[in-house]
Amino acid sequence: MAPIIRSSPALAFLVLQISLIFFASTLPYSSGSEDSYTITGRVKIPPSNVIGHLSKFSNVKVILNGGQSVTFLRPDGYFSFHKVPAGTHLIEVSAMGYFFSPVRVDVSARHHGKVHATLTETRRSLTELVLEPLREEHYYEIREPFSILSIVKSPMGLMVGFMVVVVFLMPKLMENIDPEEMKQAQEEMRRQGVPSLSSLLPGAGASR
Amino acid sequence: CWYHLPEEKLVSNRHMAMEIKASLLLLIFLSYAIVSFSLYEDQVGLMDWHQRYIGKVKHAVFHTQKAGRKRVIVSTEENVVASPDLRHGEIFWRYVLGTKDAIDGVDIALGKYVITLSSQGSMLRAWNLPDGQMVWKTSLHSAQSSKSLLSVPINLKVDKDYPILAFGGGYLHAVSAIDGEVLWKKDFTAEGFEVQRILQPHESSIIYVLGFLHSSKAVVYQIDPRTGKVVAQKSMVVPGGFSGVILSVSSDKVVVLDSTRSILVTINFLDGDISFHKTPVSDLVEDSGNAEILSPRLSNMLAVKVNKRTIFVRVGGEGKLEVVDSLSDETAMSDSLPVTDDQVAFASVHHEGSKIHLMVKLVDDLDTVLLRESIEMDQHRGRVDKVFINNYIKTDRSNGFRALIVMEDHSLLLLQQGAIVWSREEGLASVTDVTTAELPVEKDGVSVAKVEHTLVDWLKGHMLKLKGSLLLASPEDVAAIQEMRMKSSGRSKLTRDHNGFRKLFIALTRAGKLFALYTGDGRIVWSMLLNSPSKSEACERPSGISLYQWQVPHHHAMDENPYVLVVGRCGSDSSAPGVLSFVDFYTGKEISSSDIGHSVVRVMPLPFTDSTEQRLHLIADTEGHVHLYPKTSEALRIFQRDFQNVYWYTVEGDDGIIRGHGMKSSCAGETADEYCFTTKELWTVVFPSESEKIISTLIRKPNEVVHTQAKVNTDQDLLYKYVSRNLLFVATVSPKGAGEIGSVTPEESALVVYLIDTITGRILHRLSHQGCQGPVHANWVVYHYFNLRAHKYEVTVVEIYDQSRAENKNVWKLVLGKHNLTAPISSYSRPEMFTKSQSYFFAQLVKTIAVTSTAKGITSKQLLIGTIGDQILALDKRFVNLSQAEKEEGIIPLTDSLPIIPQSYITHSLKVEGLRCIVTAPAKLESTTYVFAYGVDLFYKRLAPSKTYDSLTDDFSYALLLITIVALVAAIYITWVVLEKKELSEKWR
């Protein structure tokens, strides 16, 4: 036995190396729990007076990396993703009635899972992972209440308005014109034989 | 769409002569202002409908103890946890978990929380029972994949806490039901122990954890629920090992089958001692084959399936087994349920003719039948799959029972007092294919005027509408208007209309059931469960693959019904023999069905029909042969004529190879079948496997209509679109980039897009995006992917133009006819072409992209984008118009990202949960198109991408028009009278 031990430092080295290899091969397994981190964040929705927003958190989904993992919010708005490896990830929030920017999240392996978040839409970086909607979304057009102004503004209204101006204001303007000049103009018109409206109407022609 | 790969394209070199029309209309549309498609809130439901589903129920837990709303909690195969109402079947609340978050167990804890265990036992969530708000969520440690188990002990209390026990991934966790805190965990990964059952005998502070070690050793751990420490451990090797599930028959006995499936082993573990008792199944029944323990939990009894019979075996005191009853194979059973203090009952349901028989019996005494009900059942629901029962105390203090049953077609029904209280067609949560069908032509004798009322009613209605549009209506009026709109004549009539607004959508579900949905209000017109033609044992119920329009009569539309071809398969394997079924579109009756005797890899509708207007189809099998259908000599003759012009391609995604095939000869040498043909390989495109992996392929829609080939650029240039349909879109990524978004750096991943001619195998265009990765969602040819550098989603548009026609710009050439526009286009030619592409950012992940299609292709197109939030965004094609990028004249300001206008969500404030696919179909009216989206939910909408320019809208006020005309006539008359008088007086003067 003894000579074998003495004469085999190479063997001992080999044994050491094999055990090292074995140990090394178990390493990623044991550190597997350390390699994955937890991302915790919060969704904040501003209080809104729209009815039906009392249960606003119950319809919010938070999506990691385009559907790799989907989570829902706790009553206080917090959410978390577990077993996320270090690297760059994307978090999207899907909430009816609100538009959220997707968030780029860098999970650092060096700083034990420190999370750095940036809004991809505005390129604004967040100090903590609190997600707020960029804007509210209204899915319906709002019917304008009935008002005289809207009718007046419409093309039909403008046309009617013009007609009214011609019918009621023009005679007033005519009154201001010198009666002699007026007569002259009328005579001139008669000479040219401008047909009057009454002659155009068939009934009028017959009655004459 | 996700369920099936795009079908191959078939081609004939039929010369396509394209007429060129200087499209004034197009210019008119271009000059339109941007009309975002928007909706007023009161218009919801006029042109759309939405149906909510949950999917096939896996588990159900009743919650009926307390007064108030009686409800049931279900988890389904679509990863939905939901709470339907027991009275009406509507859903109180529902959550659709992620696709990888399959639910393993559901239970109620503390009487107020719904506990779900999902993701192979690594995710435990608690939901508030009344409103479904998530209360807490705990991620459990898991190291390996194993089966998972959820156990909510009823009366286990540890220091004011109520632990929930969950096993998964090699760990047993005890979690507090109150806040989800992990109380303790026990690591079983080293031994490889798989927990099968957790038991807590009455009056005992110790929990028993039973399981197998390498399925040969039964182990019982006694664990202290306070600390998780193992108090005692017993194990015993059973020679032969175990198979299948372990079934606990009482608090101290379990029964399991050995690996030969012929011996039942009873394991007794009273007071920490384990004893085994083996009983060969052959002792119980003669002539036994392989046995199978059925899952229902009955006390002191078990149900075993042997020889197509279900036998009930009572477990005696020392593990002695005796057969007490036997039933036919097609009986479904529920778990047992305590009825009174010492009595336990269970329900069994079996079919007999068109009826189902529901029986509730006492477990101890099978002759005592507490309830016997016979209920008429629709044949097209198939057999009963699962039964869940619940009892309630009737007013006369006797026990009443309600049963929730899941049928073979995935539908969910509640039976109570001999009637179906409600039913839900949950098969529609797993639609695999959709096709459209016209309604029957209106025949003589069907009066149209019935729905239109008298003139007075009509006028009244319109007066109301006018009031409504002027916002002068009172709330009652508004309600009346809404009601009137809902039942307006067009919506309820099941006949073809002039505009083609009324149609049927035929949906095929995973359960192999066909549904005809009426576009007007979404109701189910008929439904049909596919049957195996031969009724053979191997194929009792074929699964549906896809639908094709088999016969659409035009010449005899009045007296012939169109047929749909349903292609099914016996079993999930692609080499399994196929089944064809022909179903009448109008009635839902199966006309004929046949076992085709070969496998189905691809079905290719050919552009030919025979004299009875049956479309010719080719079906390719796994052996490289194609088979022609219908098998008539006429079809063969038609096919022989264009035999040489049939091509298709196959994609081998794993190897990165795309092959083009052509027809070779009849395979008469090998078989006598003259409708079978052999094929030859024409071309192959091989992608380097070390750098590129195919992730998406797509062909142009075969029924796409291009109205005009010419396109006017903003710099007054004339461009000609490349109109060949034999184009294949292929997207590849670097193998590293095929994973999820977080898994790769920008330098490692590249996305390459190819356009390949499917006739010649020529690569027409190649476009590479560095630093991008999938998943790619595309539609001709707009595709969506992820840009890793910008960390944003991108949408790229590619347009292909035909260079060979580009010289035809000179007007004089066109006038004098010296152009080559009437020259036929051949698929064999190699035209010069150039492409333009443009990329935009898009703020959301896209699940699917579709494009609206209209009858003539004149109306401008909209992209329909299914977003990650399960909404559908309609985006005008002009936003991605390439010409605007080149010239400042662009109608829409150029941006680097596509706008998301909330009003252009066609789903408005609804969600199509679990959205998988969007289907569009044209209406007869050019301006209108249908959109049908399916996932877990269904959504339908009639859409007019450029507004209904060719018809008056529903909101058009005829009353206003009439009033205006009357007023004008009156005004003319009055002014005339006034004028008369004035002129008369002038003359007198």
Side-chain angles (χ1 to χ4, degrees):
Chain A
M1 277 295 257
I4 297 170
I5 293 167
R6 210 180 338 123
S7 67
S8 59
L11 189 79
F13 181 70
L14 200 70
V15 168
L16 185 76
Q17 212 168 28
I18 286 168
S19 69
L20 263 179
I21 288 165
F22 183 71
F23 184 64
S25 70
T26 58
L27 256 179
Y29 176 72
S30 63
S31 66
S33 58
E34 286 167 30
D35 253 4
S36 66
Y37 303 100
T38 298
I39 301 175
T40 308
R42 189 176 176 196
V43 173
K44 239 182 173 173
I45 290 176
S48 147
N49 46 8
V50 183
I51 308 152
H53 277 265
L54 287 170
S55 60
K56 58 191 175 187
F57 281 143
S58 63
N59 269 321
V60 179
K61 267 184 193 177
V62 188
I63 300 146
L64 179 73
N65 290 344
Q68 181 192 333
S69 173
V70 177
T71 194
F72 305 93
L73 299 185
R74 284 161 199 258
D76 51 7
Y78 280 94
F79 66 89
S80 55
F81 290 105
H82 303 274
K83 294 168 196 158
V84 183
T88 308
H89 304 277
L90 190 77
I91 287 178
E92 285 165 271
V93 180
S94 146
M96 290 307 279
Y98 297 96
F99 178 78
F100 283 83
S101 164
V103 187
R104 173 200 172 123
V105 174
D106 296 292
V107 180
S108 143
R110 227 177 297 158
H111 299 104
H112 305 287
K114 195 171 177 293
V115 169
H116 176 78
T118 322
L119 294 180
T120 60
E121 283 294 290
T122 56
R123 299 208 175 81
R124 190 162 66 85
S125 90
L126 302 173
T127 46
E128 50 184 338
L129 198 57
V130 176
L131 310 178
E132 287 179 69
L134 283 189
R135 57 175 183 266
E136 274 189 41
E137 286 188 331
H138 297 284
Y139 301 114
Y140 302 110
E141 293 281 304
I142 293 156
R143 260 195 211 284
E144 292 292 324
F146 177 71
S147 72
I148 302 293
L149 205 70
S150 70
I151 285 194
V152 171
K153 272 183 184 167
S154 71
M156 276 301 236
L158 286 177
M159 269 162 73
V160 170
F162 180 72
M163 300 275 261
V164 168
V165 167
V166 169
V167 172
F168 293 101
L169 290 183
M170 281 301 260
K172 291 261 163 66
L173 285 174
M174 298 285 241
E175 279 171 17
N176 292 346
I177 302 169
D178 189 42
E180 274 186 20
E181 262 179 47
M182 183 78 173
K183 230 173 211 173
Q184 228 176 342
Q186 270 179 348
E187 237 156 61
E188 220 161 83
M189 270 163 82
R190 240 174 243 150
R191 238 178 283 141
Q192 276 169 7
V194 177
S196 70
L197 181 70
S198 57
S199 62
L200 278 175
L201 287 169
S207 71
R208 216 177 293 177
Chain B
C1 299
W2 301 3
Y3 260 101
H4 43 106
L5 281 164
E7 293 303 326
E8 67 302 314
K9 215 17 221 104
L10 266 184
V11 176
S12 69
N13 72 340
R14 253 188 198 190
H15 304 310
M16 289 182 283
M18 290 298 290
E19 54 160 343
I20 197 164
K21 287 181 182 174
S23 176
L24 196 72
L25 275 171
L26 196 77
L27 282 174
I28 291 170
F29 298 137
L30 281 174
S31 61
Y32 260 48
I34 308 166
V35 277
S36 72
F37 187 86
S38 54
L39 191 75
Y40 295 107
E41 197 157 4
D42 51 36
Q43 289 173 326
V44 169
L46 284 182
M47 283 184 291
D48 59 344
W49 46 261
H50 178 239
Q51 293 174 356
R52 306 210 302 164
Y53 292 101
I54 51 178
K56 188 189 180 188
V57 169
K58 280 201 288 194
H59 315 276
V61 187
F62 287 90
H63 184 259
T64 51
Q65 284 89 352
K66 282 187 191 147
R69 280 168 160 176
K70 306 254 182 280
R71 57 176 85 210
V72 57
I73 309 295
V74 295
S75 71
T76 73
E77 288 181 355
E78 304 292 326
N79 299 351
V80 175
V81 51
S83 165
D85 175 20
L86 272 181
R87 277 186 221 287
H88 308 291
E90 79 244 17
I91 299 166
F92 283 134
W93 53 264
R94 174 184 68 160
Y95 280 94
V96 183
L97 307 186
T99 47
K100 292 168 191 164
D101 212 5
I103 301 167
D104 305 312
V106 63
D107 211 335
I108 293 176
L110 305 177
K112 59 178 181 180
Y113 292 157
V114 177
I115 309 290
T116 58
L117 183 70
S118 58
S119 296
Q120 292 192 320
S122 67
M123 188 63 78
L124 197 65
R125 289 190 180 94
W127 318 85
N128 196 11
L129 188 61
D131 60 1
Q133 167 76 52
M134 192 179 83
V135 187
W136 51 259
K137 178 188 106 169
T138 304
S139 170
L140 304 178
H141 200 84
S142 76
Q144 62 207 38
S145 70
S146 70
K147 66 167 285 188
S148 59
L149 187 93
L150 172 71
S151 167
V152 181
I154 302 158
N155 41 18
L156 182 67
K157 192 181 174 190
V158 178
D159 307 330
K160 293 181 192 163
D161 220 334
Y162 296 88
I164 295 165
L165 299 167
F167 173 78
Y171 284 86
L172 179 71
H173 286 83
V175 179
S176 158
I178 294 164
D179 53 3
E181 204 75 41
V182 176
L183 301 173
W184 49 261
K185 71 178 174 198
K186 174 88 185 86
D187 186 358
F188 288 120
T189 49
E191 300 105 286
F193 176 68
E194 288 232 333
V195 174
Q196 298 284 344
R197 188 67 68 208
I198 298 168
L199 295 169
Q200 188 216 356
H202 283 294
E203 327 273 314
S204 166
S205 60
I206 296 291
I207 50 175
Y208 290 79
V209 177
L210 294 103
F212 300 144
L213 260 179
H214 313 297
S215 61
S216 64
K217 202 171 171 187
V219 188
V220 177
Y221 287 98
Q222 295 180 29
I223 291 180
D224 185 355
R226 262 169 275 281
T227 57
K229 289 275 180 310
V230 175
V231 179
Q233 176 188 354
K234 274 272 153 71
S235 65
M236 191 176 260
V237 176
V238 178
F242 301 118
S243 74
V245 289
I246 201 165
L247 191 87
S248 66
V249 288
S250 68
S251 57
D252 56 358
K253 273 193 248 27
V254 296
V255 180
V256 70
L257 263 178
D258 82 336
S259 57
T260 60
R261 291 179 164 261
S262 59
I263 299 169
L264 285 167
V265 184
T266 319
I267 308 171
N268 240 319
F269 52 98
L270 206 60
D271 303 325
D273 277 334
I274 309 178
S275 61
F276 291 90
H277 192 276
K278 288 188 185 179
T279 314
V281 179
S282 52
D283 284 7
L284 301 170
V285 277
E286 290 163 23
D287 184 29
S288 63
N290 276 357
E292 190 188 335
I293 293 184
L294 296 176
S295 53
R297 269 186 258 170
L298 310 167
S299 68
N300 284 324
M301 200 162 71
L302 74 151
V304 184
K305 188 175 166 185
V306 194
N307 284 343
K308 299 182 150 191
R309 300 282 297 169
T310 302
I311 56 166
F312 289 96
V313 180
R314 170 147 306 136
V315 185
E318 276 95 48
K320 269 220 159 90
L321 304 179
E322 53 167 335
V323 176
V324 285
D325 200 2
S326 106
L327 286 170
S328 81
D329 178 30
E330 300 192 356
T331 307
M333 274 164 298
S334 71
D335 286 353
S336 63
L337 175 91
V339 184
T340 53
D341 291 338
D342 55 346
Q343 284 183 315
V344 183
F346 75 101
S348 67
V349 183
H350 66 273
H351 263 273
E352 201 180 298
S354 66
K355 285 187 168 175
I356 60 163
H357 298 284
L358 168 72
M359 280 194 275
V360 179
K361 296 176 188 171
L362 283 185
V363 173
D364 297 331
D365 180 13
L366 290 179
D367 296 330
T368 312
V369 179
L370 297 177
L371 180 82
R372 190 196 295 272
E373 283 172 355
S374 298
I375 294 156
E376 198 72 36
M377 183 63 76
D378 181 6
Q379 286 292 298
H380 290 299
R381 290 197 192 278
R383 287 192 311 232
V384 181
D385 200 43
K386 283 192 174 89
V387 188
F388 305 95
I389 59 162
N390 174 239
N391 63 330
Y392 58 92
I393 308 294
K394 286 191 201 163
T395 41
D396 59 352
R397 300 238 153 241
S398 65
N399 265 303
F401 293 93
R402 53 172 84 89
L404 195 68
I405 59 172
V406 181
M407 304 295 289
E408 209 173 359
D409 68 341
H410 299 184
S411 60
L412 183 70
L413 298 98
L414 184 81
L415 310 180
Q416 196 173 337
Q417 291 175 343
I420 300 170
V421 182
W422 50 261
S423 65
R424 296 182 60 89
E425 291 291 349
E426 292 305 337
L428 285 170
S430 55
V431 173
T432 57
D433 199 6
V434 171
T435 188
T436 55
E438 295 283 353
L439 282 159
V441 181
E442 204 160 352
K443 287 182 187 157
D444 294 334
V446 184
S447 163
V448 197
K450 236 180 226 167
V451 254
E452 305 280 359
H453 325 281
T454 60
L455 187 70
V456 181
D457 283 344
W458 182 83
L459 255 181
K460 259 188 197 164
H462 277 290
M463 279 308 285
L464 262 179
K465 265 192 191 173
L466 178 67
K467 257 172 132 183
S469 58
L470 293 178
L471 290 178
L472 297 171
S474 64
E476 297 99 74
D477 289 348
V478 171
I481 294 167
Q482 204 67 9
E483 193 188 1
M484 207 167 59
R485 278 175 166 171
M486 287 299 175
K487 56 177 187 188
S488 76
S489 60
R491 292 169 60 94
S492 49
K493 232 170 20 173
L494 279 172
T495 51
R496 212 176 284 189
D497 67 332
H498 182 66
N499 289 333
F501 285 171
R502 299 198 288 264
K503 269 194 178 184
L504 290 179
F505 274 113
I506 313 292
L508 180 67
T509 68
R510 198 156 46 89
K513 197 172 183 182
L514 274 184
F515 287 94
L517 298 165
Y518 175 51
T519 55
D521 50 9
R523 86 180 107 121
I524 295 165
V525 179
W526 53 260
S527 61
M528 194 214 82
L529 192 62
L530 286 187
N531 278 311
S532 167
S534 55
K535 293 269 179 205
S536 62
E537 273 181 49
C539 184
E540 281 178 59
R541 195 68 75 191
S543 60
I545 309 170
S546 48
L547 296 171
Y548 300 91
Q549 308 254 353
W550 177 253
Q551 187 178 18
V552 183
H554 294 97
H555 303 314
H556 309 284
M558 290 298 271
D559 31 56
E560 267 178 36
N561 292 2
Y563 298 122
V564 62
L565 166 66
V566 187
V567 181
R569 185 186 282 156
C570 293
S572 52
D573 190 26
S574 70
S575 60
V579 176
L580 299 187
S581 176
F582 304 95
V583 181
D584 189 321
F585 265 131
Y586 296 163
T587 60
K589 294 271 179 306
E590 191 172 51
I591 303 304
S592 66
S593 64
S594 58
D595 264 330
I596 50 175
H598 57 80
S599 56
V600 177
V601 180
R602 283 175 183 286
V603 184
M604 299 167 256
L606 295 173
F608 318 117
T609 52
D610 67 6
S611 58
T612 57
E613 294 189 74
Q614 285 185 349
R615 186 160 293 279
L616 273 61
H617 285 72
L618 282 181
I619 298 180
D621 64 11
T622 42
E623 281 152 28
H625 294 164
V626 289
H627 304 263
L628 177 69
Y629 291 88
K631 291 196 169 180
T632 58
S633 54
E634 192 200 352
L636 194 64
R637 212 169 48 244
I638 295 167
F639 180 63
Q640 297 278 3
R641 218 169 16 189
D642 281 282
F643 182 70
Q644 291 302 324
N645 296 327
V646 175
Y647 300 88
W648 79 96
Y649 70 90
T650 50
V651 179
E652 288 157 40
D654 297 335
D655 307 330
I657 301 172
I658 296 174
R659 294 176 203 277
H661 303 272
M663 304 301 293
K664 198 164 139 202
S665 63
S666 172
C667 53
E670 298 161 49
T671 54
D673 188 1
E674 55 180 323
Y675 303 101
C676 162
F677 301 92
T678 55
T679 60
K680 58 183 180 222
E681 199 176 295
L682 294 175
W683 51 265
T684 42
V685 176
V686 183
F687 296 98
S689 59
E690 66 275 2
S691 62
E692 291 181 35
K693 185 177 185 302
I694 299 174
I695 53 166
S696 174
T697 58
L698 189 87
I699 51 134
R700 204 165 194 159
K701 249 190 180 176
N703 57 353
E704 188 186 320
V705 187
V706 181
H707 182 256
T708 168
Q709 196 190 356
K711 188 182 167 183
V712 181
N713 214 349
T714 34
D715 50 6
Q716 314 301 320
D717 242 0
L718 193 63
L719 298 173
Y720 290 89
K721 289 178 198 160
Y722 183 65
V723 288
S724 166
R725 290 184 184 158
N726 315 316
L727 276 182
L728 173 69
F729 167 90
V730 182
T732 66
V733 287
S734 343
K736 271 189 170 177
E740 265 131 7
I741 284 166
S743 61
V744 68
T745 59
E747 289 72 33
E748 288 171 331
S749 185
L751 178 83
V752 188
V753 167
Y754 297 88
L755 294 174
I756 298 173
D757 188 313
T758 54
I759 304 293
T760 57
R762 178 182 169 209
I763 293 174
L764 300 174
H765 187 58
R766 181 179 185 275
L767 197 65
S768 131
H769 303 273
Q770 291 298 321
C772 294
Q773 73 166 150
V776 171
H777 300 286
N779 200 298
W780 203 255
V781 156
V782 179
Y783 55 95
H784 175 271
Y785 53 91
F786 190 69
N787 186 335
L788 284 159
R789 276 184 222 280
H791 222 74
K792 273 181 164 185
Y793 292 106
E794 255 180 34
V795 169
T796 293
V797 192
V798 181
E799 282 182 9
I800 317 156
Y801 295 100
D802 194 342
Q803 190 77 50
S804 64
R805 309 202 148 198
E807 294 95 57
N808 304 313
K809 283 175 188 165
N810 196 325
V811 181
W812 288 110
K813 270 190 178 176
L814 291 173
V815 171
L816 296 171
K818 286 191 174 178
H819 55 81
N820 62 355
L821 292 177
T822 49
I825 300 171
S826 165
S827 296
Y828 297 120
S829 64
R830 298 164 66 96
E832 286 303 308
M833 59 193 61
F834 67 102
T835 55
K836 289 180 178 185
S837 63
Q838 180 78 34
S839 299
Y840 303 89
F841 288 127
F842 189 73
Q844 287 184 345
L845 175 78
V846 169
K847 277 187 165 179
T848 174
I849 302 180
V851 177
T852 59
S853 57
T854 53
K856 305 257 183 324
I858 301 169
T859 312
S860 70
K861 287 191 169 114
Q862 275 184 334
L863 288 178
L864 300 172
I865 299 174
T867 66
I868 186 81
D870 293 326
Q871 291 168 290
I872 301 170
L873 184 75
L875 196 68
D876 209 289
K877 198 88 184 282
R878 272 170 292 151
F879 283 111
V880 292
N881 207 343
L882 294 175
S883 47
Q884 56 136 321
E886 298 151 3
K887 267 270 169 155
E888 75 294 331
E889 204 188 307
I891 306 113
I892 295 152
L894 177 64
T895 50
D896 65 341
S897 58
L898 293 178
I900 294 178
I901 305 159
Q903 283 91 347
S904 54
Y905 279 112
I906 62 164
T907 47
H908 44 94
S909 61
L910 298 169
K911 263 184 173 184
V912 190
E913 283 284 0
L915 178 66
R916 282 199 308 268
C917 191
I918 303 170
V919 179
T920 62
K924 252 189 228 157
L925 199 65
E926 168 57 28
S927 67
T928 314
T929 177
Y930 303 111
V931 180
F932 183 67
Y934 57 87
V936 175
D937 289 353
L938 301 182
F939 178 79
Y940 160 82
K941 182 156 190 166
R942 202 171 79 210
L943 209 64
S946 306
K947 296 206 166 170
T948 44
Y949 56 84
D950 48 4
S951 80
L952 293 172
T953 60
D954 289 346
D955 279 354
F956 184 79
S957 177
Y958 289 94
L960 191 63
L961 184 72
L962 260 180
I963 289 168
T964 316
I965 290 169
V966 169
L968 278 176
V969 168
I972 288 170
Y973 186 76
I974 290 163
T975 44
W976 170 58
V977 171
V978 169
L979 206 72
E980 271 298 78
K981 280 188 178 164
K982 207 177 169 190
E983 259 181 20
L984 197 67
S985 62
E986 213 168 78
K987 277 179 183 162
W988 274 109
R989 210 164 34 187

